[in-house]
Amino acid sequence: MAEIRPLEPEDLPAVAALLHANLTPDTPEEQISEDVKARLLDDPWREDELPSLVSTGDDGAVIGFIAGQVRRFRLDDRELRGVCCSDLTVAAGQRGGAAGALLLRRLLTAGQDITFSDTANPGVARMWQTFGGYLDHARACDWMVVLRPARWFGGLASDAIRRKDLGRGQIPVPALPFQAIRRRSGRWALPERDPEAIGEDVDAATIVEQLPEMSRGFRLRVDYELDFLDHLFGQVESRFGRLERRIVRRDGRAIGWYAYLPDPRGVSRVMHLLAGGPDRDADAVLADLVAHAGEKGSAVIAGRHEPHLTQVLHRGLNPVFGFAQRPVVHCHDPELLALLATSDSVLTRLDGEWFVI
């Protein structure tokens, strides 16, 4: 009978081989092993009580794996623990049993307050629902805005001529973006920077220092600490390159912050956008993002829809929306589960499976 136990450093080669064979065939096993170590074993928020798990066969060989990344939440004045689940996989010859379901059940019942995943496939989503989870409909869509139509269309045409598959890297939202031909006037105009709101590049320490001020009005959020956020930024940049991180201030007061991956040749990906508070402040944060991405040469900006962004996105950008992923969530507290679907909560791509965009 299969045994389920916590992931240990000596399991990394076997886990890397399993992921390479089933999930990431284009990534070398050595790189997968390094990524898993950095993401799971070197994580400053790692807890022995909430480990990633492996399943082993009768001979002790690793036949299954599920990753769990700890997230620390703040709900009003309470501290909560969460787990971002990813990479659930079972060796091809072992899928006739229940190894995958047992791994997921063990992870969901480890004692955390919230468990979530951004990229469940249909089969995994059904397992989550069997164990009391739900589809996170509020975060199932991505949004996109075209800043430079000619450059974007030119890139698509070039890829098509070279018979390159067009995926989410080129078309983040699977819908015809009529906004690509928007006029720079009237309701189709892009937002302009608020002259009284000043954006600035910042480090993790500044974000953590200003987070209580910027998060006023939100009941539930990830409670970043300096060592964790520094580690997270380092991971993102080691995989994708420069991560632009900016705070927007009005009269010296921090009113919001964002982080995105610039790509002058294609789609710049928004990983985090905290734009709450009064409408004027939220609009100013979004306008600074659009202007900064444009200055960096972005043809398109895209990100995941979050409940707290609905009004500001429609009011400021009128973007294209489309289904993108299949996020799922598991929570024993019905009030907490309901809160996750409202604009009083913030749970962004940076907080979850940031490595899958």
Side-chain angles (χ1 to χ4, degrees), residues 87-138:
D87 298 315
L88 175 59
T89 185
V90 176
Q94 303 291 332
R95 293 174 187 168
L102 293 173
L103 281 166
L104 179 59
R105 186 178 66 178
R106 177 74 68 86
L107 186 139
L108 291 174
T109 56
Q112 66 272 22
D113 299 284
I114 306 168
T115 315
F116 61 98
S117 180
D118 294 334
T119 58
N121 62 35
V124 172
R126 285 194 294 271
M127 281 196 289
W128 277 71
Q129 291 173 303
T130 298
F131 294 132
Y134 298 87
L135 293 174
D136 187 359
H137 299 286

Side-chain angles (χ1 to χ4, degrees), residues 21-83:
N22 295 280
L23 295 181
T24 54
D26 296 330
T27 306
E29 289 184 24
E30 182 178 354
Q31 181 180 334
I32 296 173
S33 179
E34 292 173 356
D35 288 345
V36 171
K37 180 177 183 296
R39 185 157 44 93
L40 304 179
L41 299 183
D42 296 340
D43 188 341
W45 280 356
R46 179 191 177 196
E47 294 186 26
D48 291 340
E49 294 180 0
L50 302 174
S52 299
L53 302 169
V54 295
S55 176
T56 59
D58 294 337
D59 60 356
V62 173
I63 62 170
F65 171 67
I66 190 169
Q69 300 173 83
V70 176
R71 296 291 182 259
R72 297 177 184 173
F73 286 85
R74 180 164 294 277
L75 171 59
D76 298 330
D77 294 328
R78 295 166 52 196
E79 295 180 357
L80 305 179
R81 296 188 303 174
V83 171

Side-chain angles (χ1 to χ4, degrees), residues 255-321:
I255 59 175
W257 75 281
Y258 60 85
Y260 75 97
L261 295 163
D263 183 357
R265 297 170 297 176
V267 178
S268 292
R269 294 282 182 168
V270 179
M271 306 296 285
H272 186 96
L273 176 57
L274 178 63
D279 290 349
R280 185 165 171 248
D281 286 347
D283 291 344
V285 177
L286 180 64
D288 192 84
L289 164 64
V290 173
H292 192 267
E295 291 165 359
K296 292 293 182 179
S298 301
V300 176
I301 54 174
R304 189 173 76 177
H305 175 260
E306 314 288 343
H308 80 284
L309 297 178
T310 300
Q311 292 191 54
V312 67
L313 286 173
H314 278 287
R315 186 172 60 241
L317 287 181
N318 194 28
V320 175
F321 290 92

